[in-house]
Amino acid sequence: MNPISLVDGFSRPITYLRISVTDKCNLRCIYCMPEGGLPWLRREEILSYEEIVAIVRASASVGVRTIRLTGGEPLVRRNLSRLIASIAEVEGIEDIALSSNGLQLGEQLEELVAAGLRRINLSLDTLRPDRFEAIARRPGLDAVLRAIDAAIDAGLTPLKLNCVVMRGKNDDELIDFAQLTRDRPIYVRFIEVMPVIDNVELQRDAYISSDEILQRISAEDELHPVVGPSGNGPARYFAYSGAAGAVGVISPLSHDYCQRCNRV
């Protein structure tokens, strides 16, 4: 008897499940939410770890193999390593990843890896302390940079680094970010800023297409199309010759990627 597979209406196999473990975040990024935050869900409205594991188990039974934990900021939820350990025990799950802003990663990394974490995506929109606080409305650049080093040292490679590009805010750092890929296994993914209710004016003024991003980076040195790192994702990747990592672009507005989607 053939195992049941999860397939969408376009006959695409769904093998990747993203789970938000909290709506809370310890940053207030200007493209994401208002400075005062949002009305948070009540505790009883959020799935318990036991409920999440039950969903993972059911998903694995129909072909899901990769789990990504997201938020909000997932590391603000207590005892996340306990959830990861439980997911790692589910038959069929082959890969557990985490998306984080990195502020609390350093203090939790050892227990997360021991529990079964295999990959991580970190968000970082600037390499300059003053800009970090202006964009995130909170300090913390040093903690994120330490988290990058710690994640690489812990073997969570290739490391994906997500950067939302905004004209007049951080677009003059494109080359600085791209240079991070030359000597280290870092995959910098430049993301087009997307409109949401609280950032419509910002998005209108700050939007930069992925085509312009690639053009500006390649002016520094020639880029070559490359295969991306293991795992799932919508980015198209390019690399400088001999680079240990690569740059990628995620283009939700200028180039949709729906045909490559395999996630729920």
Side-chain angles (χ1 to χ4, degrees):
M1 181 175 180
N2 293 327
I4 299 173
S5 295
L6 188 61
V7 179
D8 71 4
F10 296 94
S11 299
R12 297 173 297 190
I14 304 299
T15 61
Y16 177 14
L17 176 64
R18 295 172 63 96
I19 301 172
S20 173
V21 300
T22 181
D23 60 331
K24 296 181 176 64
C25 187
N26 48 3
L27 295 181
R28 298 290 183 271
C29 297
I30 57 175
Y31 53 81
C32 184
M33 70 169 70
E35 186 170 5
L38 297 167
W40 308 124
L41 294 172
R42 298 190 303 273
R43 184 181 182 88
E44 59 270 21
E45 295 179 286
I46 298 175
L47 291 173
S48 68
Y49 285 171
E50 291 74 20
E51 290 170 327
I52 291 174
V53 173
I55 291 172
V56 169
R57 189 175 295 111
S59 301
S61 73
V62 292
V64 166
R65 297 293 175 259
T66 296
I67 302 295
R68 175 171 294 280
L69 302 178
T70 70
E73 168 50 43
L75 293 181
V76 304
R77 185 159 177 180
R78 293 180 181 178
N79 303 315
L80 190 67
S81 60
R82 179 167 64 87
L83 173 62
I84 291 175
S86 296
I87 293 174
E89 293 177 352
V90 175
E91 183 178 357
I93 297 302
E94 300 170 353
D95 187 24
I96 304 174
L98 177 73
S99 292
S100 172
N101 60 35
L103 263 65
Q104 297 183 16
L105 183 63
E107 60 200 59
Q108 299 185 42
L109 184 60
E110 184 176 352
E111 61 189 56
L112 295 171
V113 173
L117 182 66
R118 293 294 171 262
R119 294 186 297 114
I120 191 163
N121 291 10
L122 291 176
S123 297
L124 182 61
D125 301 319
T126 178
L127 299 171
R128 304 181 186 182
D130 57 332
R131 284 187 178 176
F132 184 96
E133 190 161 354
I135 292 172
R137 299 192 181 109
R138 300 287 190 277
L141 177 61
D142 288 346
V144 181
L145 295 178
R146 289 194 300 269
I148 293 172
D149 293 337
I152 292 174
D153 291 343
L156 297 180
T157 57
L159 176 74
K160 295 177 183 177
L161 199 61
N162 294 335
C163 175
V164 176
V165 180
M166 296 167 284
R167 193 181 305 278
K169 303 289 186 183
N170 64 351
D171 62 309
D172 58 343
E173 296 183 65
L174 292 174
I175 300 300
D176 295 334
F177 272 101
Q179 296 292 351
L180 296 176
T181 71
R182 288 193 181 272
D183 301 317
R184 309 183 77 189
I186 296 175
Y187 285 71
V188 176
R189 290 117 59 84
F190 296 108
I191 304 173
E192 295 175 347
V193 62
M194 294 180 287
V196 296
I197 291 174
D198 293 301
N199 81 348
V200 172
E201 291 187 5
L202 167 72
Q203 195 276 341
R204 180 197 63 205
D205 298 333
Y207 173 76
I208 299 179
S209 72
S210 60
D211 293 334
E212 180 180 342
I213 291 169
L214 288 172
Q215 181 181 39
R216 290 169 61 174
I217 297 171
S218 61
E220 172 73 9
D221 195 359
E222 186 177 3
L223 290 172
H224 306 277
V226 295
V227 176
S230 60
N232 305 275
R236 294 176 290 136
Y237 289 99
F238 305 83
Y240 295 130
S241 295
V247 298
V249 287
I250 298 178
S251 318
L253 299 182
S254 64
H255 299 277
D256 73 66
Y257 45 76
C258 295
Q259 74 277 8
R260 303 194 303 276
C261 187
N262 67 338
R263 66 179 65 173
V264 290

